[in-house]
Amino acid sequence: DQQVKQNSPSLSVQEGRISILNCDYTNSMFDYFLWYKKYPAEGPTFLISISSIKDKNEDGRFTVFLNKSAKHLSLHIVPSQPGDSAVYFCAASVSGGYNKLIFGAGTRLAVHP
Amino acid sequence: NAGVTQTPKFQVLKTGQSMTLQCAQDMNHNSMYWYRQDPGMGLRLIYYSASEGTTDKGEVPNGYNVSRLNKREFSLRLESAAPSQTSVYFCASSVGTGSGGYTFGSGTRLTVV
């Protein structure tokens, strides 16, 4: 029973274009959402987060959108660069839950020149 | 360098052997976590320690034990390894309650034959 789902295992995008990674969740108690980026042979690194009181958070080329009614969030990368090629994990947590994160299965993004 | 250090980086075990994965953080974080990463499954929480002296089960605790030795160190033990425990194991730490992301170690790749 996956509470956080990333239904696209992979995504291929041309350099300079927009990358859109999607994530759905089922637990309505989740109120904090994060995206992590992972390169091969390294641990995941924090990328961007959003609280459920917001519907958008932006950090440079990265923007996360949250649609609470649809239980859906997305990560937009504009413009995409070859260095963005990595696996992206969506994660969610419940405030007060000792920051325990539930992760999705990940989406492998390939940005080609 | 500040962060989360995991040892060993690679390990091959025979079925039935035991071993302990070590994890240490130097960021004065309260909470620590052990995850496993499997293809198509994302990161699944094995055990976590909200604070020194406490440990709790995550999503997939069977076959594992943990010890929060002190605030810095959180070890994961496999008492009798099974092929199903072949995976990449990540340790992470965080400030604890409230919002905030994790800092992950670089992982331990374990193969059980």
Side-chain angles (χ1 to χ4, degrees):
Chain A
D1 179 27
Q2 283 187 301
Q3 299 184 67
V4 178
K5 300 178 184 179
Q6 293 176 257
N7 292 319
S8 298
S10 63
L11 176 67
S12 181
V13 172
Q14 192 169 18
E15 182 178 6
R17 306 294 290 268
I18 184 171
S19 296
I20 300 176
L21 294 89
N22 293 303
C23 178
D24 297 294
Y25 61 96
T26 58
N27 187 344
S28 58
M29 297 297 291
F30 287 146
D31 56 4
Y32 192 65
F33 304 89
L34 308 89
W35 286 92
Y36 281 80
K37 177 179 180 179
K38 185 184 180 305
Y39 292 118
E42 295 183 9
T45 55
F46 171 73
L47 188 59
I48 192 170
S49 63
I50 187 167
S51 164
S52 61
I53 63 173
K54 295 184 176 181
D55 54 19
K56 175 182 175 182
N57 188 27
E58 192 171 354
D59 183 1
R61 296 186 297 114
F62 302 92
T63 302
V64 56
F65 296 92
L66 176 62
N67 183 333
K68 289 187 292 292
S69 61
K71 293 191 177 70
H72 177 83
L73 64 155
S74 61
L75 174 68
H76 293 209
I77 306 173
V78 184
S80 302
Q81 300 173 353
D84 295 330
S85 298
V87 177
Y88 290 79
F89 290 101
C90 171
S93 71
V94 177
S95 295
Y98 294 103
N99 215 23
K100 196 171 58 174
L101 295 180
I102 305 300
F103 285 83
T107 296
R108 183 177 301 277
L109 173 65
V111 180
H112 51 90
Chain B
N1 294 333
V4 177
T5 302
Q6 290 184 237
T7 55
K9 293 192 182 302
F10 301 94
Q11 184 72 48
V12 178
L13 289 180
K14 293 182 178 179
T15 298
Q17 286 185 318
S18 63
M19 80 161 295
T20 299
L21 282 66
Q22 307 288 351
C23 176
Q25 52 93 7
D26 57 5
M27 296 169 287
N28 202 36
H29 283 171
N30 292 317
S31 301
M32 298 185 73
Y33 313 83
W34 276 104
Y35 282 82
R36 59 178 289 174
Q37 183 195 4
D38 302 292
M41 303 293 288
L43 293 154
R44 292 182 293 168
L45 182 64
I46 304 171
Y47 270 93
Y48 68 102
S49 170
S51 60
E52 185 179 356
T54 67
T55 60
D56 283 288
K57 295 178 181 179
E59 303 167 83
V60 288
N62 291 344
Y64 305 94
N65 285 303
V66 290
S67 295
R68 183 74 183 268
L69 304 170
N70 48 55
K71 190 170 187 180
R72 290 186 63 247
E73 299 172 286
F74 188 38
S75 62
L76 178 72
R77 182 161 179 83
L78 287 71
E79 291 290 352
S80 179
S84 61
Q85 294 178 304
T86 293
S87 186
V88 181
Y89 291 85
F90 289 100
C91 176
S93 68
S94 74
V95 171
T97 56
S99 63
Y102 290 178
T103 300
F104 279 89
S106 58
T108 296
R109 183 174 294 276
L110 175 67
T111 303
V112 183
V113 298

